[in-house]
Amino acid sequence: NGSAGVLAELLAKAAEQGGPISPRTAVHALGVVKTAAALRGAGQVEKEDLIDLQFLPGLEEFAETIREELDAAYERAAAEGRLRAIERQLDELRSGWESPIKAIQAAKRLEALADEASGITVPDSLTERRKSLREQINAAVEAAKTSAYDQVRA
Protein backbone atom coordinates (compact mmCIF):
# COMPACT_ATOMS: atom_id res chain seq x y z
CA ASN A 1 0.00 0.00 0.00
CA GLY A 2 2.99 2.31 -0.44
CA SER A 3 4.11 2.19 3.19
CA ALA A 4 7.49 0.67 2.32
CA GLY A 5 8.37 3.73 0.26
CA VAL A 6 7.10 6.02 3.00
CA LEU A 7 9.18 4.10 5.56
CA ALA A 8 12.28 4.43 3.38
CA GLU A 9 11.63 8.16 3.01
CA LEU A 10 11.21 8.57 6.78
CA LEU A 11 14.43 6.70 7.49
CA ALA A 12 16.31 8.80 4.94
CA LYS A 13 14.93 11.99 6.51
CA ALA A 14 15.94 10.73 9.97
CA ALA A 15 19.44 10.06 8.69
CA GLU A 16 19.63 13.61 7.30
CA GLN A 17 18.65 15.12 10.65
CA GLY A 18 20.84 12.96 12.85
CA GLY A 19 23.37 10.23 12.56
CA PRO A 20 23.32 7.56 9.90
CA ILE A 21 20.65 4.88 10.06
CA SER A 22 22.21 1.43 9.85
CA PRO A 23 20.78 -1.35 7.68
CA ARG A 24 20.05 -3.26 10.88
CA THR A 25 17.98 -0.33 12.19
CA ALA A 26 16.10 -0.23 8.89
CA VAL A 27 15.29 -3.94 9.20
CA HIS A 28 14.16 -3.41 12.80
CA ALA A 29 12.01 -0.48 11.65
CA LEU A 30 10.27 -2.70 9.13
CA GLY A 31 9.70 -5.30 11.84
CA VAL A 32 8.30 -2.69 14.22
CA VAL A 33 5.73 -1.35 11.76
CA LYS A 34 4.69 -4.85 10.62
CA THR A 35 4.27 -5.90 14.26
CA ALA A 36 2.24 -2.79 15.01
CA ALA A 37 -0.05 -3.62 12.08
CA ALA A 38 -0.37 -7.24 13.24
CA LEU A 39 -1.24 -6.11 16.77
CA ARG A 40 -4.03 -4.00 15.32
CA GLY A 41 -5.22 -7.09 13.44
CA ALA A 42 -4.50 -5.52 10.06
CA GLY A 43 -2.86 -7.21 7.12
CA GLN A 44 -1.29 -3.99 5.84
CA VAL A 45 0.85 -1.31 7.42
CA GLU A 46 -1.02 1.96 7.85
CA LYS A 47 0.02 5.45 8.85
CA GLU A 48 -0.59 4.94 12.57
CA ASP A 49 1.76 1.93 12.59
CA LEU A 50 4.67 4.12 11.52
CA ILE A 51 4.31 6.21 14.68
CA ASP A 52 5.85 3.30 16.62
CA LEU A 53 9.19 4.06 14.97
CA GLN A 54 9.78 6.49 17.83
CA PHE A 55 10.82 3.53 20.00
CA LEU A 56 13.77 2.59 17.80
CA PRO A 57 17.26 3.65 18.88
CA GLY A 58 18.48 6.50 16.71
CA LEU A 59 15.01 7.76 15.94
CA GLU A 60 14.18 9.26 19.35
CA GLU A 61 14.94 12.85 18.30
CA PHE A 62 13.12 12.32 15.03
CA ALA A 63 10.00 11.08 16.85
CA GLU A 64 8.80 14.62 17.53
CA THR A 65 8.45 15.41 13.85
CA ILE A 66 7.52 11.93 12.70
CA ARG A 67 3.79 12.64 12.41
CA GLU A 68 4.43 15.73 10.27
CA GLU A 69 6.88 13.79 8.13
CA LEU A 70 4.36 10.97 7.79
CA ASP A 71 1.64 13.34 6.64
CA ALA A 72 3.97 14.94 4.11
CA ALA A 73 5.20 11.55 2.85
CA TYR A 74 1.66 10.21 2.43
CA GLU A 75 0.64 13.43 0.67
CA ARG A 76 3.53 13.01 -1.78
CA ALA A 77 2.65 9.35 -2.33
CA ALA A 78 -1.01 10.20 -2.97
CA ALA A 79 -0.12 12.99 -5.40
CA GLU A 80 2.28 10.71 -7.22
CA GLY A 81 -0.45 8.09 -7.50
CA ARG A 82 -2.86 10.63 -8.99
CA LEU A 83 -0.20 11.74 -11.49
CA ARG A 84 0.46 8.11 -12.49
CA ALA A 85 -3.27 7.56 -13.04
CA ILE A 86 -3.44 10.60 -15.31
CA GLU A 87 -0.35 9.41 -17.21
CA ARG A 88 -2.07 6.06 -17.82
CA GLN A 89 -5.21 7.81 -19.08
CA LEU A 90 -3.07 9.96 -21.36
CA ASP A 91 -1.41 6.88 -22.83
CA GLU A 92 -4.82 5.32 -23.49
CA LEU A 93 -6.15 8.46 -25.19
CA ARG A 94 -3.14 8.94 -27.48
CA SER A 95 -4.29 6.26 -29.89
CA GLY A 96 -7.42 5.15 -31.68
CA TRP A 97 -8.03 8.23 -33.82
CA GLU A 98 -9.12 6.29 -36.92
CA SER A 99 -11.95 8.67 -37.70
CA PRO A 100 -12.41 12.42 -37.28
CA ILE A 101 -15.19 11.82 -34.76
CA LYS A 102 -12.98 9.62 -32.58
CA ALA A 103 -10.18 12.18 -32.80
CA ILE A 104 -12.54 14.97 -31.69
CA GLN A 105 -13.86 12.80 -28.85
CA ALA A 106 -10.29 12.06 -27.76
CA ALA A 107 -9.48 15.79 -27.88
CA LYS A 108 -12.47 16.53 -25.60
CA ARG A 109 -11.43 13.80 -23.16
CA LEU A 110 -7.86 15.07 -23.23
CA GLU A 111 -9.05 18.61 -22.46
CA ALA A 112 -10.96 17.24 -19.46
CA LEU A 113 -7.82 15.35 -18.44
CA ALA A 114 -5.80 18.57 -18.68
CA ASP A 115 -8.29 20.24 -16.34
CA GLU A 116 -8.01 17.33 -13.94
CA ALA A 117 -4.20 17.48 -14.03
CA SER A 118 -4.28 21.22 -13.35
CA GLY A 119 -6.50 20.68 -10.33
CA ILE A 120 -4.18 18.22 -8.59
CA THR A 121 -2.47 19.62 -5.54
CA VAL A 122 1.13 18.43 -5.48
CA PRO A 123 4.07 19.16 -3.20
CA ASP A 124 6.93 21.27 -4.54
CA SER A 125 8.92 18.18 -5.49
CA LEU A 126 6.26 17.15 -8.03
CA THR A 127 5.38 20.50 -9.63
CA GLU A 128 7.75 20.00 -12.57
CA ARG A 129 6.29 16.57 -13.25
CA ARG A 130 2.74 17.97 -13.19
CA LYS A 131 3.78 20.82 -15.50
CA SER A 132 5.38 18.38 -17.94
CA LEU A 133 2.28 16.19 -17.85
CA ARG A 134 0.02 19.16 -18.61
CA GLU A 135 2.26 20.09 -21.55
CA GLN A 136 2.09 16.52 -22.87
CA ILE A 137 -1.69 16.53 -22.58
CA ASN A 138 -1.98 19.88 -24.37
CA ALA A 139 0.26 18.58 -27.17
CA ALA A 140 -1.94 15.48 -27.46
CA VAL A 141 -5.05 17.70 -27.67
CA GLU A 142 -3.51 19.62 -30.56
CA ALA A 143 -2.43 16.39 -32.25
CA ALA A 144 -5.95 14.95 -31.96
CA LYS A 145 -7.51 18.13 -33.37
CA THR A 146 -4.99 18.19 -36.22
CA SER A 147 -5.68 14.53 -36.96
CA ALA A 148 -9.42 15.18 -37.11
CA TYR A 149 -8.93 18.19 -39.37
CA ASP A 150 -6.57 16.29 -41.70
CA GLN A 151 -8.98 13.35 -41.96
CA VAL A 152 -11.87 15.67 -42.87
CA ARG A 153 -9.80 17.45 -45.54
CA ALA A 154 -8.72 14.20 -47.17
Side-chain angles (χ1 to χ4, degrees), residues 90-98 102 106:
L90 174 60
D91 288 340
E92 291 171 6
L93 291 171
R94 280 186 171 154
S95 62
W97 305 341
E98 302 87 25
K102 289 190 180 203

Side-chain angles (χ1 to χ4, degrees), residues 35 46 48 54-55 57 61-62 67 87-88 95 100 122 131 140 143 154:
T35 302
E46 298 294 332
E48 61 266 17
Q54 64 186 326
F55 301 113
E61 299 86 28
F62 185 65
R67 184 168 298 280
E87 287 169 344
R88 281 192 301 272
S95 62
V122 295
K131 179 182 175 187

